[in-house]
Structures are given as structure tokens and as C-alpha cells.
Amino acid sequence: MDVELQPGREAVVRVAVATLWSCPEAVRPVDGPALAPRTDIAAWISGMDSDQQVGDCVLSQLLLGERVLVTELRPDGWAHVVAVEQPAPRLHPRGYPGWLPTEQLAPAAGTADADPLVVDATVTALRDAPDGAEVLPGIVLGTRLIPAGPAVDGWQPVHAPGHAAPLWLPGGDAVPVPTTPPSAEEVLAVAQRLVDVVYIWGGVSAYGIDCSGLVHLAWRRLGVLLPRDADDQAAATTPVPMGAERPGDLYFFARPGRRIHHIGIVTADPRPGDDRRMLHACYVQRRVLEERLPDERTATLVGVHRV
């Protein structure tokens, strides 16, 4: 088994939530908690002002165990990677490209035989023993974990990258990954749990999230891999006639002559008079909310798609 990261090889994220950066030089003093060997995303977000929360130095986020292709290793401790579980055809054929601190990665191990679990708790922690000390706090909804054996007294052992011994979480916090397409009700139930989560540009976690991150994460929790960005999500889904939308479909928004810039999840059948509702991560109000489409949104609504 490989013991070191190597360009051209896959690696996996070893922290609860890793942030993907546009370049190492773009990080700011406020970003320390997101760069640490044990990330603290809650502290990172709470330490930013509203302008910093939408800084374009952040591209996306990756969850514990997520696979990346390492393309470059810098001697100053940064790795250029392609996040292969976040399709981004416009940017790279293999996935979403960006930079991570090298110490947030571990060499990819062999493929496990056990069927994966997915975290269903909004936030949980991995511990060194059943009801033991926290080793990896901040494990978020949608994280995939490989079981390390059967549950014991209500605690589930799992493999965690960078840890030789199994770690433990409450058995009810992780469930089998669904193998059938989700219903609209299931998708909306996942997204609804993220209402009031703060808007973070590039965010893909229960601590902070953006509009396409919300869509990506809701379907990811339910076993469906969608692209990371809104315009790619539009290309990967099926258009339906305006007025024929139903809950669980997707609204897409763009200004004239521009790429799609926003996405929301339909929450109600349309009513006469263009009365439409959606759940979305709103840049303007800087949080996830469910609302009737304001006039300025309706003016830029360009399509309805179905997953």
C-alpha cells in the first residue's frame, strides 16, 4: 500500500470538512481554522464578516473520505487536486480542481468490501471508543463512511482515513446509502434540515453552504451524484416545461446573455399568477430559506429541470 501522497494517484480527505481553495496565495488570516490538520469549520465561519463569507478564494468543500486525484504537490505543504466526486465538466473532465493543505489528505486505501454508510445526522463526531473521546468532531450530513464491523451497543465502528483503528459514532447517525432514486419528499426533507444555515460561497456543509452546494448535498445524502456548480447541474438534469414543475424539481436563474448563476429546489406546485416557491441558499439574505419567488428572482428564472 502507498505510504505517501503521489501526483497522479488518488488520495482521500482525512479531516471532517476540507475547503478547496483557488490557490494557496488566496487564503486569508481568518481562514486558519479551515486550514488546520483538524479543521474547525464552525469557528472559521463564525470568525468571518459577511464580505469574507462570500470571498471567491473558496471554490468548494470536500467531506471526510471524499476521493481526490492528486495532480501536484508543492514543497510548502499544498496539494493541487481534482475532486472526483464533484463533477465539474466545464472546469476539468475528472472533477472539481483546486488546492488543499497536504496534511488534510491521506493516501487512498484499497476498496472496502462493506457497503458504505452515509451520515444522516446534521452534525456528529467520530470517537476513539463507544461513548469515548472525540477524535474527529464536525462530521456532517452526507459524509460517506465504511463500516468496520457490526454495531456494538448502539455504536457503529467505521474506518476513517489516517486512523489505523476504527472510530465510533452513534449507530443512528449513519444509515445505508440508498440504492433507489429518492422521492421529492425525501429530497425536500434533507434540504429542509438545512434551513437557516448561513450562506458561504463554496460551502457544502451543514455549517455553511451555497445554492448549488445545497442541491449537491441534498442529493448526495440520498445516493445521487450531481455536479457541483449550478450551470453544470442544469446540463446534467432534464428540462421540463415552465408551469409543469412539481416539488423536488429545480429552478435555474440567469441574467440575459449570462451563465446560470443560481439554483433552488421547487417546494410547491405553481399557482396562477406566477406564484412559485422554492428552498434555496440565498446570497441576498445570506442563509438557507424557503420562500415565494420575489419579483427579482422571477425576472431571471430561465428554466425548470428534473433530476
Side-chain angles (χ1 to χ4, degrees):
M1 184 180 72
D2 294 320
V3 294
E4 295 181 350
L5 300 175
Q6 298 182 31
R9 301 285 186 90
E10 284 198 356
V12 291
V13 172
R14 64 181 295 167
V15 295
V17 180
T19 300
L20 193 68
W21 304 90
S22 60
C23 65
E25 294 73 24
V27 300
R28 308 152 299 184
V30 74
D31 297 324
L35 301 170
R38 176 168 153 168
T39 57
D40 188 340
I41 300 303
W44 174 56
I45 291 173
S46 66
M48 288 191 284
D49 62 32
S50 58
D51 289 336
Q52 291 168 329
Q53 290 173 346
V54 295
D56 58 7
C57 56
V58 174
L59 299 177
S60 188
Q61 290 183 310
L62 292 78
L63 309 185
L64 176 72
E66 194 165 337
R67 296 182 299 116
V68 301
L69 173 67
V70 178
T71 57
E72 181 184 345
L73 293 170
R74 290 196 349 182
D76 61 355
W78 284 88
H80 188 268
V81 303
V82 176
V84 300
E85 296 179 57
Q86 296 190 23
R90 181 174 51 85
L91 302 176
H92 193 283
R94 291 290 305 275
Y96 214 107
W99 292 88
L100 295 174
T102 304
E103 59 190 353
Q104 294 183 357
L105 298 172
T111 304
D113 294 331
D115 292 332
L117 303 172
V118 62
V119 172
D120 186 51
T122 306
V123 179
T124 188
L126 300 185
R127 301 171 181 269
D128 61 3
D131 206 18
E134 290 187 354
V135 176
L136 279 175
I139 305 297
V140 297
L141 177 76
T143 302
R144 288 203 177 194
L145 300 168
I146 303 298
V152 177
D153 296 330
W155 289 84
Q156 174 65 53
V158 296
H159 298 290
H163 297 268
L167 300 181
W168 299 77
L169 79 164
D173 285 359
V175 299
V177 176
T179 57
T180 57
S183 67
E185 291 78 13
E186 289 172 319
V187 170
L188 288 170
V190 172
Q192 191 73 35
R193 290 167 56 189
L194 299 171
V195 165
D196 288 330
V197 167
V198 66
Y199 183 101
I200 296 292
W201 183 271
V204 191
S205 87
Y207 291 111
I209 203 160
D210 67 14
C211 64
S212 55
L214 175 65
V215 170
H216 176 84
L217 186 61
W219 266 269
R220 175 182 181 148
R221 156 64 187 90
L222 296 166
V224 177
L225 182 64
L226 290 181
R228 171 61 182 88
D229 286 345
D231 52 350
D232 291 326
Q233 290 169 349
T237 52
T238 303
V240 298
M242 197 80 73
E245 64 263 35
R246 62 194 189 202
D249 289 344
L250 301 172
Y251 284 136
F252 289 95
F253 303 84
R255 297 179 183 91
R258 305 288 295 275
R259 280 207 326 259
I260 288 168
H261 69 270
H262 191 63
I263 184 173
I265 305 172
V266 179
T267 57
D269 293 326
R271 302 173 188 172
D274 289 333
D275 186 8
R276 294 181 163 95
R277 300 193 68 86
M278 70 174 176
L279 192 155
H280 65 134
C282 180
Y283 179 95
V284 177
Q285 299 195 43
R286 301 291 173 88
R287 63 185 178 91
V288 177
L289 71 157
E290 195 273 343
E291 65 175 351
R292 178 188 177 276
L293 265 62
D295 291 343
E296 59 269 24
R297 287 289 187 203
T298 300
T300 58
L301 177 61
V302 295
V304 182
H305 288 217
R306 187 163 295 156
V307 178

